[in-house]
Amino acid sequence: MAVFSNSQVNRIVVVLAVVMWAAVRGSGAVRADSSTVTAAGVTLHSVSVDLPGSDRSFPNAAGAEAVNNNCTGCHSPGMVLTQPPLPASVWQTEVNKMRTTYKAPIVAEDVPAIVAYLTQIDGAK
């Protein structure tokens, strides 16, 4: 994962704002077709990505609803279920990281149920 400084993020935001403003205004400084936009010396390319499908689901158990409601927006059940067995303390750290570092919209009341569920289905024995 790329890590950007505040000044780099600010520059990216400014460039994107200029590109969008110029595209909306129809400025001659912007060249746009179906796959690229260029402005201020920066070219953005549109890409398509085909993600693999999965029919895996979380096993029914206490806490499954909390996991489905909070985790599947970013994580497939298959990805979670293939993690190595982890103790509750590590699952707690992972869930906290999702909430604080990645700003996952997990309500604090659901955290204990998520940690208990992940430990139950895939915890260190």
Side-chain angles (χ1 to χ4, degrees):
M1 179 175 95
V3 177
F4 298 100
S5 68
N6 285 340
S7 62
Q8 289 170 316
V9 170
N10 289 341
R11 181 182 164 123
I12 291 168
V13 169
V14 168
V15 167
L16 290 174
V18 168
V19 168
M20 290 187 303
W21 177 81
V24 169
R25 300 274 301 159
S27 165
V30 173
R31 185 189 85 248
D33 60 34
S34 62
S35 63
T36 63
V37 175
T38 301
V42 175
T43 300
L44 303 176
H45 298 276
S46 176
V47 297
S48 294
V49 177
D50 292 323
L51 299 174
S54 174
D55 59 353
R56 291 187 77 180
S57 60
F58 288 108
N60 267 341
E65 184 176 351
V67 171
N68 282 314
N69 290 341
N70 290 285
C71 305
T72 57
C74 298
H75 304 291
S76 70
M79 189 282 274
V80 175
L81 295 171
T82 58
Q83 298 303 305
L86 301 171
S89 61
V90 174
W91 281 120
Q92 180 73 50
T93 300
E94 289 300 308
V95 173
N96 289 342
K97 178 175 65 176
M98 295 304 132
R99 293 182 73 226
T100 58
T101 303
Y102 299 114
K103 308 301 183 207
I106 301 170
V107 294
E109 294 80 27
D110 284 346
V111 172
I114 293 169
V115 170
Y117 178 83
L118 293 172
T119 302
Q120 175 186 346
I121 64 160
D122 202 20
K125 308 294 182 232

